[in-house]
Amino acid sequence: MVLAVFIPFDDSKPLENYVLQTTGTEGVTPSIQTALQGDVLETPLLRPSIREVNNTTIAGLYAYHNSFSSRDGTVNRTQNIRATRLSMSCGLLSLRFYGNVVLVRSFGYLNRGFEDLGLESIRGVCCISPDLRCSIQNFGGVSPACEVAPGWLTNAACENYHDAGVLARVALAMTEHHESEDSDSSSDSAKLYDSDDEETTPTQHTFVTRSSLCLQCRRLTDSICPGCEGCYVCDDCCTSGRRWSHECQCQTWKMYVSHREELSSFDFGTDGNGGDWYTSLMGRGFQTSE
């Protein structure tokens, strides 16, 4: 038996632990299909890994959810805000979940089975904000006490960031290899063109508008998000439910807005009181390349 977490798409229903039964070579798949009542997709949120320092094995985190197209061909567009918050916390900001979701910790390709997943590990990140800092989790009295996130969850975004960097370098190397093979065949055809035939003029970018735009649909609006008052969201997006991806981070924005006056009056030392300490933070050493 494996302890997993069931996340209903309906926010009015609580998260709950779900016991999965393991069956031979199929593992927990039949039990997950029973919980989700149909075929499922597997989406990795964190790959399993082995720490070289002490040779300990860290289980990965996998999300199981229904296919967007159901058996009768209809499309499931019931957004799951709490599961999406978790994926954002893992650094997967473009990932969106729909329908019910089952979370399982597994050692995957390491073939070492599964690990139980308790509610206390992910309750805050799912129900409040993808920002794991206690100041965010406890802001506004939403959470009575901050449940400290486990190390594997706090490191998930960093692990996925480095994995994406490695994959990007591999993709770049493969692209350069194909380009080098094609360079010889294209060199002869390139000689047919005269460099003086036509001069290309650089594209000049102009501002389309200086008015505020909706964060979701990018249309003109002067309506502020009623939840955080930190961004512009048009009335149409609020009423139609298209604002739900922002709702995943609305609590975080609200916390930032509460410090707006404090941050706007912060003394950078421009009057000679604090020096130019911040200028060194703008150098190349503090900039990321990927």
Side-chain angles (χ1 to χ4, degrees):
M1 295 186 298
V2 180
L3 192 63
V5 173
F6 183 84
I7 306 180
F9 70 86
D10 187 354
D11 287 345
S12 63
K13 297 181 180 180
L15 307 180
E16 59 183 38
N17 273 127
Y18 191 89
V19 178
L20 301 176
Q21 303 292 335
T22 56
T23 55
T25 58
E26 293 184 337
V28 296
T29 301
S31 186
I32 294 176
Q33 291 175 338
T34 301
L36 297 178
Q37 300 179 356
D39 296 332
V40 296
L41 294 175
E42 179 188 80
T43 300
L45 301 181
L46 175 66
R47 66 172 178 84
S49 60
I50 300 178
R51 296 288 177 85
E52 297 181 356
V53 178
N54 49 11
N55 199 30
T56 57
T57 306
I58 307 298
L61 180 65
Y62 295 84
Y64 294 87
H65 52 101
N66 290 119
S67 304
F68 294 159
S69 297
S70 60
R71 293 179 182 272
D72 56 1
T74 59
V75 179
N76 180 9
R77 304 297 291 178
T78 309
Q79 57 267 19
N80 193 318
I81 295 178
R82 291 177 292 187
T84 302
R85 283 198 188 107
L86 179 62
S87 66
M88 289 181 175
S89 178
C90 295
L92 307 175
L93 301 179
S94 61
L95 185 60
R96 300 289 184 269
F97 284 110
Y98 299 89
N100 298 327
V101 176
V102 174
L103 299 176
V104 180
R105 294 204 67 198
S106 169
F107 291 98
Y109 63 91
L110 299 177
N111 296 323
R112 298 187 183 182
F114 302 88
E115 186 171 305
D116 290 339
L117 176 62
L119 285 175
E120 67 281 356
S121 301
I122 61 171
R123 182 183 287 111
V125 65
C126 288
C127 299
I128 301 175
S129 170
D131 194 323
L132 295 173
R133 290 175 295 178
C134 287
S135 58
I136 301 292
Q137 297 290 322
N138 293 328
F139 175 70
V142 177
S143 176
C146 176
E147 297 171 343
V148 179
W152 60 265
L153 182 56
T154 57
N155 294 330
C158 181
E159 294 285 345
N160 287 328
Y161 174 81
H162 288 295
D163 287 348
V166 172
L167 292 176
R169 288 192 292 270
V170 172
L172 179 61
M174 296 178 65
T175 302
E176 292 177 347
H177 175 69
H178 289 297
E179 289 179 350
S180 63
E181 291 180 345
D182 297 337
S183 60
D184 295 335
S185 60
S186 61
S187 60
D188 294 335
S189 60
K191 296 178 182 179
L192 298 176
Y193 296 94
D194 189 353
S195 59
D196 297 330
D197 286 344
E198 183 180 356
E199 294 184 359
T200 59
T201 57
T203 304
Q204 295 183 356
H205 299 280
T206 58
F207 287 102
V208 177
T209 178
R210 294 183 181 275
S211 302
S212 55
L213 301 177
C214 174
L215 183 66
Q216 299 296 136
C217 65
R218 312 309 295 168
R219 290 184 293 183
L220 295 174
T221 184
D222 56 359
S223 300
I224 301 294
C225 171
C228 64
E229 299 182 348
C231 64
Y232 290 95
V233 181
C234 68
D235 296 334
D236 186 27
C237 287
C238 287
T239 56
S240 63
R242 287 197 298 264
R243 192 178 68 96
W244 78 272
S245 60
H246 168 67
E247 290 181 10
C248 298
Q249 306 184 64
C250 195
Q251 184 68 19
T252 307
W253 285 55
K254 186 176 181 179
M255 195 270 187
Y256 293 159
V257 169
S258 68
H259 292 283
R260 179 180 293 165
E261 183 177 352
E262 176 186 352
L263 294 174
S264 62
S265 60
F266 183 77
D267 184 13
F268 283 95
T270 54
D271 298 331
N273 297 325
D276 57 349
W277 58 269
Y278 60 91
T279 56
S280 61
L281 303 179
M282 303 171 64
R284 292 293 298 172
F286 292 89
Q287 299 176 6
T288 58
S289 58
E290 292 187 281

